[in-house]
């Protein structure tokens, strides 16, 4: 049976639903070009700030038996670098390009979003409300009023649909509060669920030590640990925001988890820890595994099972 993984959403057309998670393999032009030549259906740039940032001190990423912990601290080349890449990108013939923005303040976000607006490029912008790795700076996605204010201001300077990357929520009341904020912002075209689970602590038993340097070892947790939380967030936001798209992110390392995210309601999915660990070849593998799984189950397109998760 022929399976078609193509997906069209918010004016972009993807051959398959796989994207890198922002932060993985997307900080430099060289990395972005490797992704462009990979099996990914689209690519997204590293969350950018107004000015370039070195990020947090090393070691700031560690792989663990069940995934990863990181406290990168938004190392990036500054938004002009990524905007320049986007300006030179062949949007007509290449896979779609998404761009992640993560200002250190409201003013920074407005300046960058205004610049993206003025550039008028056919990219989708993902505004990151959820970096957990900036010492002294809470994740704005956990402050519903501040998020609403930010989105209202951004909508004034950026006049096209955009998305937000959310932190994980753990309580139905909080799903509801954030869904209300997003529902109140007509510019929101998509939400990405989830960023890493912030401020976990991984301990090396032998060395009786933390495994990363920043924040005395606290960092964002990704990989297998986060899959159930990611799926819950995807399902809850897909249910609560009909008409908007959800990008599923968290714990995808084979076609099976990609399928689960889409079954929970994701339009497309992002791969983080697995891409970091295995490199771009994993995207070919995950894509092919998803095709096999769909064939086994008798599904021809993603729409045949998207959001069809059964309850008991
Ligand atoms: C980082 O650069 O610290 C990771 C980005 C993020 O989690 O949003």
């Amino acid at each position: 049976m022929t399976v078609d993984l193509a997906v069209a959403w918010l004016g972009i057309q993807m051959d398959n639903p796989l994207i890198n998670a922002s932060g993985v393999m997307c900080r430099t032009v060289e990395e972005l070009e490797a992704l462009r030549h990979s099996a990914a259906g689209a690519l997204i740039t590293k969350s950018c700030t107004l000015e370039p940032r070195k990020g947090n001190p090393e070691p700031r990423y560690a792989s663990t038996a069940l995934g990863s912990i990181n406290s990168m601290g938004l190392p990036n080349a500054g938004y002009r670098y990524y905007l320049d890449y986007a300006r030179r990108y062949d949007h007509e013939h290449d896979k779609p390009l998404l761009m992640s923005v993560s200002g250190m303040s409201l003013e920074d976000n407005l300046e960058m979003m205004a610049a993206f607006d003025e550039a008028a490029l056919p990219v989708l912008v993902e505004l990151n409300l959820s970096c957990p790795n900036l010492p002294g700076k809470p994740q704005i996605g956990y402050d519903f009023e501040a998020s609403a204010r930010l989105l209202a201001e951004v909508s004034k300077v950026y006049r096209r649909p955009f998305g937000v990357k959310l932190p994980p929520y753990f309580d139905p009341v909080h799903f509801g509060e954030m869904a209300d904020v997003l529902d109140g912002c007509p510019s929101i075209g998509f939400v990405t669920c989830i960023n890493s689970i912030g401020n976990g602590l991984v301990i090396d038993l032998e060395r009786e030590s933390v495994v990363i340097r920043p924040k005395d070892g606290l960092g964002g947790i990704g990989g297998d640990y986060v899959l159930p939380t990611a799926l819950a967030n995807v399902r809850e936001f897909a249910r609560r925001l009909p008409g908007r798209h959800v990008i599923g992110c968290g714990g995808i390392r084979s076609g099976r988890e990609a399928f689960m995210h889409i079954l929970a309601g994701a339009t497309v999915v992002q791969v983080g820890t697995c891409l970091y660990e295995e490199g771009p070849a994993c995207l070919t593998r995950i894509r092919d595994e998803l095709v096999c799984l769909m064939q086994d189950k008798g599904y021809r397109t993603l729409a045949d099972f998207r959001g069809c998760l059964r309850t008991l």
Side-chain angles (χ1 to χ4, degrees):
M1 188 181 75
T2 313
V3 162
D4 182 4
L5 293 182
V7 50
W9 62 290
L10 283 185
I12 66 172
Q13 178 76 42
M14 292 169 56
D15 291 346
N16 70 69
L18 303 180
I19 315 176
N20 61 301
S22 176
V24 183
M25 273 204 75
C26 56
R27 210 178 335 149
T28 64
V29 166
E30 291 70 28
E31 290 176 338
L32 288 162
E33 285 294 282
L35 277 176
R36 187 169 69 78
H37 289 107
S38 76
L43 57 148
I44 184 167
T45 55
K46 169 69 183 168
S47 289
C48 63
T49 50
L50 200 56
E51 302 302 335
R53 282 174 60 85
K54 286 200 169 77
N56 292 337
E58 310 258 8
R60 56 192 184 185
Y61 176 97
S63 63
T64 71
L66 295 176
S68 63
I69 181 168
N70 89 84
S71 182
M72 306 302 285
L74 293 179
N76 77 93
Y79 84 96
R80 293 174 191 86
Y81 177 90
Y82 302 102
L83 199 48
D84 186 50
Y85 179 71
R87 283 201 174 99
R88 287 183 285 111
Y89 196 83
D90 184 354
H91 298 278
E92 204 177 315
H93 300 105
D94 256 315
K95 52 190 69 172
L97 179 65
L98 289 81
M99 308 197 67
S100 175
V101 171
S102 190
M104 303 295 285
S105 65
L106 172 66
E107 292 71 30
D108 287 7
N109 276 320
L110 294 180
E111 187 170 337
M112 288 187 282
M113 292 301 278
F116 280 100
D117 183 72
E118 196 180 327
L121 296 164
V123 299
L124 288 178
V125 176
E126 181 185 89
L127 185 61
N128 185 353
L129 304 186
S130 50
C131 178
N133 303 327
L134 302 169
K137 271 199 184 297
Q139 295 160 83
I140 192 167
Y142 286 138
D143 181 336
F144 302 114
E145 280 175 23
S147 295
R149 277 197 304 278
L150 171 62
L151 296 181
E153 292 300 314
V154 165
S155 303
K156 289 181 198 159
V157 300
Y158 190 78
R159 292 162 294 176
R160 301 171 52 207
F162 63 95
V164 285
K165 183 159 183 180
L166 298 177
Y169 300 96
F170 304 94
D171 190 292
V173 171
H174 297 152
F175 290 132
E177 287 192 50
M178 185 40 104
D180 286 347
V181 167
L182 299 171
D183 200 29
C185 181
S187 303
I188 292 298
F190 71 94
V191 299
T192 303
C193 301
I194 56 174
N195 207 322
S196 57
I197 297 184
N199 298 298
L201 184 63
V202 171
I203 292 178
D204 179 332
L205 195 56
E206 222 157 88
R207 289 165 51 224
E208 299 180 13
S209 166
V210 302
V211 297
I212 56 172
R213 188 180 304 280
K215 292 175 80 173
D216 287 342
L218 297 185
I221 303 295
D224 295 359
Y225 306 101
V226 312
L227 178 66
T229 300
L231 293 173
N233 278 259
V234 167
R235 205 275 298 269
E236 290 305 312
F237 282 100
R239 267 215 293 225
R240 288 162 198 265
L241 294 171
R244 320 288 178 103
H245 294 274
V246 176
I247 300 184
C249 181
I252 296 175
R253 63 179 170 100
S254 75
R256 291 166 60 87
E257 297 81 30
F259 186 98
M260 287 181 208
H261 271 266
I262 295 163
L263 188 66
T267 300
V268 294
V269 298
Q270 294 180 348
V271 184
T273 296
C274 180
L275 179 60
Y276 192 104
E277 296 296 328
E278 289 183 32
C282 77
L283 298 167
T284 310
R285 176 179 58 73
I286 295 171
R287 181 198 61 193
D288 295 348
E289 289 167 353
L290 180 58
V291 167
C292 288
L293 188 56
M294 286 171 63
Q295 276 169 339
D296 287 351
K297 286 175 171 284
Y299 294 124
R300 285 178 195 279
T301 72
L302 301 175
D304 291 347
F305 63 96
R306 179 179 294 116
C308 294
L309 179 66
R310 296 192 193 105
T311 52
L312 304 180

